Each structure stands twice: as structure tokens, then as C-alpha cells.
Amino acid sequence: MEIPLLLAILAFALVSFARQWLPIEVTALVALGLLLLFDLVTPEEAIAGFANPAVITVMMMFILSEALVQSGVIDRLGHRITRWAGDSGPRAMLVLLLLAGLVSAFVSNTATVAVLMPVALLVAKRYRLSPSKLLLPLSYVSIAGGTVTLIGTSTNLLTSSLAVAHGLPPFGVFELAPLGLAFLAVGVAYSVLVLVRVLPARVETRSLTGKYQLAAYLTEVRVPPASPLVGKTVVEVGLSERFGLTMLEVLRGSEKIAHDLRNTRLAGGDVLLVRGAMEDVVALKEHYGLLLLSDVKLDDAELADQTNVLAEVQVAPQSRLVDRSLADVDFRKRYGSFVLAVNRLGEVIRDKVALLPLQAFDILLVFGPRVRVQGLEQQEDFVPLREVGVKLRLSRRWWIGAAIIPLVALAAASGLMPILKAALLGVVALLVLGAVTMPQAYKAIDWSVIFLLAAILPLGLALEKHGLAAIAGGAVADLGRPLGPVAVVALVVVATTLVTELISNNSAAVLMVPVAVSAAASLGIDPKPLLMAVTYAASMSFLTPIGYQTNMMVYGPGGYRFADYFRAGAPLTLVFWLLAVLLIPRLWPF
């Protein structure tokens, strides 16, 4: 009875992951609850994931990564790309991708893409390239860079921890480097030589007003001295409620007023910048006797100046705004800015954006005072896409944040201490030396990843406990046995790659490690090569935008379509599969 129940829970989890019925961490928690409900795991086994060394190490690595990002070193290096590249666009792309690969070997891939995506867009603008040519390669190379070291991605730490649970030694910090560097070199070469030609130019480096087609939605009107609007505020006249319009700015002589607009009393001669449908603007004009300045074409230069700015920000995966509307969070009051439009996976939404429940990776076109829009960059809820105020100065204690991760890696690689101990001490050092505060540490941790890891680990344990992993492992071994263990490596890589495209890379590793260990036992070989096959294949997520967070992050800004990922990622997946099959048996003999 246990195996049918376990199969049903596993099927639910896989379908829910693939169809995104629930957030992935919620699906994992539901699966955990079902395992407990049907006594497939004990309460002690159910909570063991929260004390798993890999989970704690991942938490510490999030904080260490945040310290390096906050140091300003990566920003500074990123903004020197154009200086190093000169007038050569291909050289700039090469330098950008090499930097991304190097950073992602030590910093989470998501953080790497978040920091370097604005740089990639600046490079695209500087060399007149479509962002579509740069952003997907940035994601792919960051994923490949994560396979270079043990701390490059949480998946590597997880498989190492699972290896220890099966009585094997943990992976070395740089044990993954030989094949990881081969992956990185191939990924960079493929991006520069092939992807730049294969990927379509879906997004042009044009103005934001043109990109979002806002010409008919932004209008200037003048308030005559005799208008009933004089002396009133937009709240008193019900500009939003009665007319469905939003006032973005008041031009009073040479002064532009963009703050505290709710309490600003209008005066004769004021020019109002309003957002809304033309029929609503006409209704306002007729009711208050305003003058329509319809012959004025508004563009980015008109909207942006020393006071105000037009910019794009992306809703972060862990944002508190997910599933909430702008009205729910009172965006205008909280952030001091207006959202003019929303880009959701390529679809531009301009009507009733205030009532639209936001989703992760939505792109918001924001207009407001420069200092307030710049402040959005500091919010963990957003990822900036266009930098409105480049800060190239290093933080006051930048050297601490920049030095700790290499020291942690060296301490663990030298055998001086385990990676968990080194990471934990590294975080303590950051806190004591003031390079990171406790609030910053809390915000740096991606709690959805932590809960996913902790909740999905008992599912892998249940697969082994009730014999399902042994059945699957035996089937894999039987399929590959006639051709030898190399064929089994090939099968494990294929199976893990397919699974990771449908569910998260961490979940794929948890489900496939028991299968790999059982297959090795059935063949009577060392399980290490098969564990390495799972480790690398779990990060080979290039075929769909849903397989890896970084792929989703670049989907909207790059203007991609679902088919673009398969067209661009299939050859890379095939090459990585060949590299894994050829090199894993040589690097980790059976």
C-alpha cells in the first residue's frame, strides 16, 4: 500500500511543479504533509530537512553572496566592461559573460543575473545590440558558472549532503571544477559565436515610452486661471475615482512638482501631466474647461530630468508584492512613484494596472522623483532593469564582503574545516565586522529555497525507505547494463535533465540521487560517477523558461518566446550531455 500512496504523492508533486498550481515551496510542503498524514515518514524524519547541513549552508551562502554584492565590487567590474571592450560589441559580450561565469561560481546564479542584467542592458544600448542577444546567454552562462564550485549553486551543496547521507565523503569545494570549467568555456563560446546569431532581435533599445506604446496614455493639459480646478487638489476633484486618470506631475513655471501631489493645490497656468485613456482626458477637459496640449509628443526626455525619472523594475521572485495589487500595497504612497504599465511575459498591460494582482518577474514601468525610483533598487521586492543612478563607489567596508567568500572557499578546500563550519564562521565575521547587518542577513536569505529544500528532502528519504528508489534504480541499471556503466551515466544525465526542466533543479537532485545510488548498487560500481551525473544534469536547464529562475528573470526584459529557449538551449544541452558522458567516467572512475 505504501508504494501506490508514494507514487500518488510523487505524481501530484511533479504535476504541481510543472503546471505551477502552487508556489514550488508550497507544493513541497503539501507533499511533506501528505507523507506525514499517511505515515510514510515519521515526524522526526519530516523535520530532518530543516536541520540538514546543506540547507543551513545554503542559508549562510545567501548571506555571504549578499555581502559580496553589497560591497560594490561586482558593479564596479561590470561598468568597466565598455572600457575594456573599446568599440567592439562582441568583445563586450565576451567580457560580460566571462564576468558572469566567474561571479556565479561563488555567488548564487540568481544574484549574479540580478546584478549584471542592468549592466547587460547598458552594454546592449552602448553597442546598439538587441537585449535579446545578451540576456539569455547571461542566464545560460550563469547557470554553467554555478557548476564550477561546490558553493556555486545550492544544488551542488544538496547533492554533496545527500552523498554524505549515503555514507560517501562530501564533495570538495573545487572537485567540480574540471568539468564545470569545460561547461563554462563551452557556454561562453556557444553564446558569443552561435547564440548572438541564432537569437532573434525581439527587443530594440528604443525609448521606454515607445516600447510601452504610451503616446495615447500620457497627455498634458493646461489649467486656465478661470477653471474651477484652481485651488483644488486631485483628491478633492476625484481625478482617479470620477475620471479614471492619474496625475503624474505638475509643471508650474520652471518648477516641476512630482511629490505630495495629493495635497498640491492647483493654480492657474499649471500644466498637468496625466495618464489615462483619451476619452477620460476629454471628459476632464470639458468638465473643468482645461486646454488640451495634444500636439505635444511626450517621450523619455520630456519625462526624465534631474528631478524625475522613467525606469523599469522587475518584481523579484520572493517579493512581498506577489499576488497583491498596486492598490493593495498603496504603491504610490509607499514608494512615492507611479506605475504606468506592466509587462507580463511580453504582454504590455496599460489599463487598470492598479487593480492587477502582480506576479513574480512582472516588469513595472515606473515614473517618479529620481530619489524615490532609485530607492526601489534598495528594496528586496524589486530587481532594477535600467539603472537610474549608477553607483560606482565601493561601500565603506567593501573589502570585508569581497574577501570573506574566497576565504570560506579556501578554508573548506584546504581541508581546514567543513564547508558548513567555514560558511557559518564567515557569516559571523561579516556580522561582527559590520559588513552585513542582521536585517540585511534576513532579507538576503531566499526563504522559498530554504523551505523547498527542507520540505522536499523527506520525499527523497521516503523513496528509499519504501523501496521505490531501488525499483527505479534497478530499471535504470537494467537498461544500461548491456552497454556498460557509461551508458548508465548517459541515462542518468538524460533523466535528470528532463526532470529539472519540469521541476526545480533542487527537487530534481533530491528525486534522482536515490535512483542513482540504487542503480550503482545494482551494477556493483562506485556511486560517485552517477552522483556527479545528477549534480551536473540538475543544472542543465536550458530548454524552458520555467526550469531555472534566471531563465524566467530574462524572459520579459529579453522579449523572448517559449520556443526561443528550446531553439537556443537544445544544442547546448546536447553538447553538455556529451561532455558529461565523456568526462565523468574519466574524472570519477567506476
Side-chain angles (χ1 to χ4, degrees):
M1 183 63 183
E2 288 85 359
I3 287 182
L5 276 173
L6 191 54
L7 283 172
I9 294 170
L10 182 60
F12 157 75
L14 290 175
V15 174
S16 182
F17 281 139
R19 299 295 298 272
Q20 300 182 53
W21 288 341
L22 298 166
I24 57 173
E25 66 274 19
V26 176
T27 294
L29 286 168
V30 171
L32 176 60
L34 292 172
L35 292 174
L36 269 173
L37 180 64
F38 293 108
D39 295 322
L40 295 173
V41 294
T42 65
E44 291 74 20
E45 291 169 337
I47 64 171
F50 290 94
N52 185 280
V55 177
I56 306 302
T57 305
V58 169
M59 289 177 64
M60 298 303 103
M61 293 309 303
F62 276 129
I63 300 172
L64 293 171
S65 296
E66 178 69 10
L68 179 56
V69 169
Q70 291 298 327
S71 73
V73 171
I74 300 175
D75 281 326
R76 199 169 205 184
L77 291 174
H79 285 91
R80 288 188 175 180
I81 287 175
T82 55
R83 184 189 304 176
W84 295 331
D87 295 327
S88 172
R91 191 184 304 152
M93 182 179 183
L94 176 62
V95 175
L96 172 68
L97 296 182
L98 287 174
L99 177 61
L102 174 65
V103 172
S104 62
F106 298 94
V107 176
S108 76
N109 302 338
T110 304
T112 299
V113 172
V115 172
L116 292 181
M117 191 156 47
V119 177
L121 292 168
L122 286 175
V123 169
K125 186 175 182 179
R126 165 70 173 79
Y127 295 98
R128 297 182 180 178
L129 295 170
S130 170
S132 310
K133 302 285 188 180
L134 288 178
L135 294 181
L136 194 54
L138 176 65
S139 176
Y140 283 176
V141 168
S142 297
I143 294 172
T147 65
V148 173
T149 71
L150 177 64
I151 61 176
T153 178
S154 57
T155 308
N156 302 345
L157 290 164
L158 183 59
T159 50
S160 176
S161 175
L162 291 170
V164 172
H166 286 90
L168 299 170
F171 299 168
V173 173
F174 296 106
E175 186 176 357
L176 301 171
L179 184 51
L181 288 172
F183 276 11
L184 180 58
V186 169
V188 171
Y190 176 72
S191 296
V192 174
L193 299 177
V194 179
L195 279 187
V196 73
R197 295 178 174 85
V198 171
L199 288 170
R202 298 213 185 276
V203 177
E204 300 300 328
T205 53
R206 54 180 170 167
S207 70
L208 293 176
T209 49
K211 176 180 176 180
Y212 284 85
Q213 301 175 353
L214 288 174
Y217 288 81
L218 298 176
T219 310
E220 287 184 328
V221 293
R222 188 186 301 277
V223 181
S227 171
L229 211 55
V230 173
K232 292 185 171 60
T233 67
V234 292
V235 175
E236 291 172 349
V237 301
L239 190 70
S240 175
E241 294 78 4
R242 291 176 57 194
F243 297 97
L245 300 172
T246 302
M247 186 168 71
L248 306 177
E249 183 180 75
V250 176
L251 177 61
R252 182 170 293 167
S254 59
E255 179 187 8
K256 284 188 175 181
I257 304 172
H259 62 279
D260 198 24
L261 291 175
R262 294 181 177 184
N263 299 315
T264 299
R265 297 199 174 275
L266 303 176
D270 283 351
V271 175
L272 315 181
L273 174 61
V274 295
R275 178 199 179 280
M278 186 53 67
E279 58 266 27
D280 295 325
V281 174
V282 171
L284 177 72
K285 167 188 175 296
E286 296 296 334
H287 192 275
Y288 287 106
L290 307 179
L291 303 175
L292 186 63
L293 305 182
S294 56
D295 58 333
V296 178
K297 183 179 180 181
L298 296 170
D299 57 19
D300 290 14
E302 278 276 325
L303 293 171
D305 54 22
Q306 292 301 313
T307 304
N308 303 313
V309 71
L310 190 66
E312 290 178 304
V313 294
Q314 187 176 63
V315 178
Q318 72 277 13
S319 174
R320 294 167 295 182
L321 276 67
V322 172
D323 293 329
R324 304 177 70 189
S325 70
L326 300 172
D328 289 338
V329 299
D330 198 357
F331 189 94
R332 171 70 182 96
K333 185 175 182 180
R334 176 178 293 187
Y335 299 108
S337 308
F338 294 100
V339 175
L340 305 183
V342 176
N343 183 332
R344 175 169 293 169
L345 299 181
E347 178 189 0
V348 176
I349 304 169
R350 293 177 292 263
D351 295 321
K352 299 180 180 178
V353 292
L355 303 178
L356 179 72
L358 297 176
Q359 297 178 6
F361 308 111
D362 280 352
I363 301 172
L364 312 182
L365 180 65
V366 180
F367 173 78
R370 184 175 294 270
V371 66
R372 299 303 298 271
V373 176
Q374 286 176 350
L376 293 177
E377 292 184 359
Q378 309 304 319
Q379 299 283 337
E380 70 272 16
D381 295 314
F382 306 104
V383 177
L385 300 182
R386 294 285 198 277
E387 293 201 345
V388 295
V390 177
K391 301 184 183 76
L392 296 183
R393 288 189 298 177
L394 298 172
S395 66
R396 188 166 59 92
R397 303 190 182 192
W398 66 271
W399 56 274
I400 300 173
I404 291 295
I405 282 187
L407 288 175
V408 166
L410 288 173
S414 65
L416 185 63
M417 60 185 71
I419 184 64
L420 172 58
K421 183 177 179 180
L424 204 57
L425 291 176
V427 170
V428 171
L430 290 174
L431 293 169
V432 170
L433 296 174
V436 170
T437 65
M438 281 307 300
Q440 288 174 327
Y442 293 138
K443 292 177 182 177
I445 298 171
D446 188 340
W447 292 103
S448 64
V449 172
I450 300 304
F451 274 91
L452 170 65
L453 291 175
I456 202 68
L457 280 167
L459 181 56
L461 176 63
L463 293 179
E464 289 190 275
K465 182 178 178 181
H466 298 287
L468 195 55
I471 294 172
V476 171
D478 291 341
L479 281 173
R481 196 185 308 273
L483 298 176
V486 174
V488 178
V489 170
L491 288 172
V492 170
V493 172
V494 169
T496 308
T497 302
L498 292 176
V499 172
T500 200
E501 292 293 352
L502 298 175
I503 63 177
S504 78
N505 50 323
N506 290 320
S507 301
V510 169
L511 296 180
M512 289 303 300
V513 162
V515 175
V517 171
S518 297
S522 180
L523 291 170
I525 62 173
D526 188 339
K528 190 66 169 285
L530 299 187
L531 287 176
M532 286 299 175
V534 172
T535 303
Y536 288 106
S539 291
M540 287 167 51
S541 184
F542 308 120
L543 300 177
T544 70
I546 63 175
Y548 213 94
Q549 273 195 347
T550 57
N551 288 346
M552 281 298 295
M553 289 176 71
V554 302
Y555 191 102
Y560 297 113
R561 298 173 185 170
F562 201 94
D564 292 334
Y565 286 78
F566 188 85
R567 189 182 303 113
L572 187 61
T573 302
L574 178 60
V575 173
F576 278 16
W577 175 77
L578 287 171
L579 282 173
V581 173
L582 291 173
L583 296 181
I584 285 176
R586 295 176 182 273
L587 295 169
W588 298 277
F590 299 104

